[in-house]
Amino acid sequence: MKKRHISIKTYITTSLIILLGISQIAIFFVSFFLVSDRLKKGMLSSMQGEVSEIIERLNDYGYEACEEDGRVSYLADETAVRNNGRVMIVSRDYEIVKDTQGDRTGSYIVNKNIMDVMTGKRQEYVSMNGDSIRIIQPVRDDYGITGAVVVKASLMMIYNSLYKQFAMIGAVILIIFSLDILVILRISRGTVKDLDNINEQMTHAVQGNLQERLTDQRFSQTQEFAENFNEILSRLSSIDQTRSEFVSNVSHELKTPITSMKVLAESITENEGADVEDYKEFMGDIVEEIDRETKIINDLLTLVKSDSQGNDLNFEESDVNEMMETIIKTVTPLAARRSINLEYESFKEVMAEIDKVKLSLAISNLVENAVKYNIDSGWIKCSLNSDNKFFYIKVADSGVGIPEDAKDKVFDKFYRVDKARSRDTGGTGLGLSITRSIINSHRGTIKLYSESGKGTTFTVRIPLKQDRNRTQLLTEADATIDKA
Ligand code: ADP
């Protein structure tokens, strides 16, 4: 079942509203109970004071003062009115000598609570339940307990005024809560505004618009996110552009030999008087074009493979000297044809973790280029050296050199300084791209030093050991161009 997602805005809004609602309700009720408890306790202690006063008067004037208009009776009535309740004065033999409500005067009252107080089992009886407070206190003289005062007071008045006050407080809290909700809505809308923008932009990018960029964001995190996203967009569009350029280059390069073949085939068929020798010559040319086409396709395949970032690299501890000697041996006949002197100097025995087949191809490209772009009777000097971390290969030639403005382009796919010369020498413009890609996948670097008309030097640096655990560092380590 598909998981249902809620929006961040809903999440923030509901969480804050619930949090705030719960805390405001809690504050309301806690303060209500604290205040009512305080009031009840205050009332209790004032009632206790009043009861003590009645007891004092009883001791002063005796139980006779409980009769109508007696000094005790008067005080009891006053206390009952003040507390909105009832006062009863009970004599030693449990007779009610004064009842402020009048109806029980002269009758007897016997229950557990009053007996506990009268017999001295309890110092005082206090009960606070529901909406009333009840106090029973003993009346003592020098000889012992002579009776008891029972006071009952209603809490209704307290509760009524409390309810009124808290109804007002509740209303104020509700108004504040409604304002809070408005603020929360604003906050949550403001918080997700950046995300909404970014999301919208991403949708545009998914639909193919890679040109729009995110502008200033409110928060540092979303700003960072936007900058990274803009960077990804730039890279995507540059990849997009590179890809279309590459496709158009490939099509162009593949078309050239086919066009030549077509021209050759048409001209021979249109030539009425052509003899077998002519046909042989034209067919020879056509075969050359086919070879060329094959070479371009093979180079493209090699490039695609080496560009797939060392996935299929086969690193093995190998003798780099041996590899270099094999390359020199293979290229020497090519150099000899143009009387080019090819020298190789090894400063050390070098054993390194390399993919020998691929690296041979990369270095062969450099040495072959040194022949292709050399002058007749020129020279090529190759060398191998190492320190405790890297080995270094240098290929220097006395050739035509590379012009300043072309130095940063020669590693690009299909780039050739002199198209005609490259074509004459069977070049495809992919050699240096392949070389750099292979060297990069060995976590190495390649640098180029050249001066037009004087010669070119390529230096390659590769680590002796490949760190298998480390992700291959395959940055586009473009040739660092130093002025020769
Ligand atoms: P190509 O197949 O054309 O040789 P590369 O990728 O090997 O393609 O080289 C790209 C271009 O760089 C060449 O066409 C050439 O113009 C220039 N180049 C490469 N190596 C040298 C060199 N040693 N001396 C002068 N120019 C060179």
Side-chain angles (χ1 to χ4, degrees):
M1 208 172 83
K2 199 168 179 269
K3 202 175 163 218
R4 284 188 60 197
H5 294 99
I6 59 161
S7 75
I8 297 180
K9 204 156 87 182
T10 314
Y11 180 75
I12 295 178
T13 313
T14 42
S15 308
L16 286 180
I17 289 177
I18 290 173
L19 195 79
L20 213 76
I22 288 176
S23 51
Q24 291 195 343
I25 290 172
I27 289 172
F28 179 81
F29 281 105
V30 167
S31 48
F32 179 83
F33 285 113
L34 286 178
V35 171
S36 69
D37 193 56
R38 228 190 135 94
L39 283 175
K40 277 196 275 184
K41 282 191 177 138
M43 184 160 174
L44 178 68
S45 84
S46 93
M47 275 169 67
Q48 281 168 326
E50 286 170 313
V51 172
S52 303
E53 229 178 288
I54 295 174
I55 291 172
E56 228 171 81
R57 238 182 236 199
L58 268 172
N59 282 336
D60 289 348
Y61 300 101
Y63 284 84
E64 303 77 45
C66 292
E67 279 166 19
E68 203 70 23
D69 294 335
R71 301 187 86 129
V72 176
S73 172
Y74 179 72
L75 186 60
D77 284 334
E78 225 180 44
T79 307
V81 171
R82 214 174 13 247
N83 292 299
N84 188 26
R86 181 179 195 177
V87 177
M88 287 191 288
I89 297 169
V90 183
S91 68
R92 184 75 194 92
D93 48 5
Y94 296 95
E95 187 192 343
I96 299 171
V97 291
K98 167 74 186 173
D99 177 6
T100 53
Q101 283 185 3
D103 46 353
R104 287 193 66 185
T105 309
S107 64
Y108 290 87
I109 177 169
V110 183
N111 61 41
K112 188 178 176 319
N113 300 331
I114 201 158
M115 281 170 76
D116 283 352
V117 172
M118 286 282 218
T119 52
K121 241 189 205 171
R122 275 190 191 201
Q123 287 296 316
E124 178 189 34
Y125 170 81
V126 173
S127 104
M128 242 196 291
N129 53 13
D131 52 4
S132 67
I133 299 181
R134 190 185 285 262
I135 301 176
I136 305 175
Q137 270 191 18
V139 184
R140 289 172 204 275
D141 65 8
D142 297 344
Y143 305 102
I145 295 171
T146 61
V149 176
V150 180
V151 179
K152 192 183 157 199
S154 166
L155 290 171
M156 276 329 284
M157 257 164 59
I158 293 186
Y159 278 135
N160 281 344
S161 80
L162 209 63
Y163 288 149
K164 269 186 204 150
Q165 283 175 28
F166 271 83
M168 268 169 64
I169 295 175
V172 172
I173 286 181
L174 259 179
I175 293 170
I176 295 175
F177 188 54
S178 318
L179 294 175
D180 285 346
I181 290 176
L182 292 181
V183 175
I184 288 170
L185 284 173
R186 254 192 92 92
I187 291 175
S188 58
R189 205 175 307 139
T191 313
V192 295
K193 200 168 166 225
D194 282 3
L195 289 178
D196 283 345
N197 281 344
I198 293 173
N199 202 12
E200 197 185 316
Q201 192 74 56
M202 277 182 162
T203 313
H204 289 175
V206 168
Q207 287 162 353
N209 182 352
L210 302 178
Q211 304 316 317
E212 277 178 34
R213 293 291 178 270
L214 283 162
T215 45
D216 265 359
Q217 304 295 314
R218 287 179 59 185
F219 304 106
S220 60
Q221 284 90 346
T222 41
Q223 177 62 21
E224 210 174 311
F225 190 99
E227 280 165 15
N228 286 336
F229 180 66
N230 285 345
E231 176 65 28
I232 291 174
L233 281 182
S234 306
R235 285 196 198 175
L236 272 179
S237 42
S238 105
I239 289 173
D240 221 32
Q241 199 183 338
T242 316
R243 196 191 51 196
S244 9
E245 273 171 20
F246 180 67
V247 171
S248 105
N249 282 341
V250 168
S251 323
H252 177 76
E253 296 297 329
L254 291 178
K255 237 171 85 182
T256 315
I258 291 177
T259 314
S260 305
M261 281 186 261
K262 190 168 182 268
V263 171
L264 284 165
E266 274 172 2
S267 54
I268 189 74
T269 43
E270 279 163 15
N271 184 354
E272 303 270 313
D275 59 14
V276 178
E277 280 311 308
D278 293 332
Y279 268 97
K280 271 191 182 167
E281 197 192 323
F282 273 78
M283 287 315 271
D285 290 345
I286 289 175
V287 168
E288 251 177 47
E289 291 302 329
I290 291 173
D291 286 346
R292 212 181 129 61
E293 184 92 28
T294 312
K295 188 165 180 347
I296 296 173
I297 291 169
N298 284 342
D299 276 1
L300 273 172
L301 288 175
T302 311
L303 186 65
V304 169
K305 270 196 205 153
S306 53
D307 264 354
S308 61
Q309 310 215 322
N311 285 339
D312 52 358
L313 279 184
N314 185 15
F315 290 117
E316 261 175 28
E317 185 84 0
S318 315
D319 185 340
V320 185
N321 258 303
E322 201 181 282
M323 179 193 85
M324 286 302 291
E325 276 158 15
T326 312
I327 294 171
I328 302 296
K329 220 184 205 171
T330 321
V331 183
T332 301
L334 208 71
R337 263 189 244 162
R338 294 177 55 209
S339 313
I340 294 166
N341 184 29
L342 175 53
E343 280 175 25
Y344 169 61
E345 190 175 10
S346 164
F347 292 96
K348 267 181 195 162
E349 286 299 307
V350 178
M351 293 297 290
E353 269 177 14
I354 53 169
D355 182 324
K356 205 168 169 181
V357 176
K358 295 223 165 68
L359 196 60
S360 289
L361 173 66
I363 306 299
S364 292
N365 280 345
L366 296 181
V367 185
E368 278 168 20
N369 277 353
V371 176
K372 279 177 1 189
Y373 304 103
N374 216 321
I375 47 166
D376 289 343
S377 307
W379 51 259
I380 301 169
K381 288 175 186 161
C382 303
S383 68
L384 171 70
N385 206 348
S386 71
D387 55 24
N388 55 351
K389 275 192 172 167
F390 300 96
F391 65 89
Y392 305 86
I393 294 171
K394 192 157 141 182
V395 180
D397 65 54
S398 58
V400 296
I402 296 170
E404 198 57 46
D405 59 343
K407 281 178 180 170
D408 53 351
K409 295 186 197 143
V410 289
F411 292 95
D412 291 350
K413 297 171 186 82
F414 297 115
Y415 181 81
R416 283 156 286 189
V417 177
D418 179 348
K419 284 230 171 202
R421 184 178 182 127
S422 168
R423 191 177 153 78
D424 289 350
T425 51
T428 60
L430 293 170
L432 285 182
S433 306
I434 294 172
T435 298
R436 187 180 62 177
S437 170
I438 293 174
I439 290 169
N440 283 349
S441 57
H442 279 75
R443 295 198 294 122
T445 52
I446 178 164
K447 290 183 181 182
L448 151 65
Y449 307 88
S450 184
E451 198 177 343
S452 211
K454 288 199 175 159
T456 305
T457 302
F458 285 96
T459 59
V460 173
R461 189 190 79 168
I462 291 176
L464 293 169
K465 296 256 170 269
Q466 294 296 325
D467 184 353
R468 314 266 162 116
N469 297 325
R470 227 183 95 184
T471 330
Q472 298 264 333
L473 188 71
L474 297 165
T475 48
E476 286 281 294
D478 290 274
T480 309
I481 293 120
D482 292 5
K483 287 194 178 151

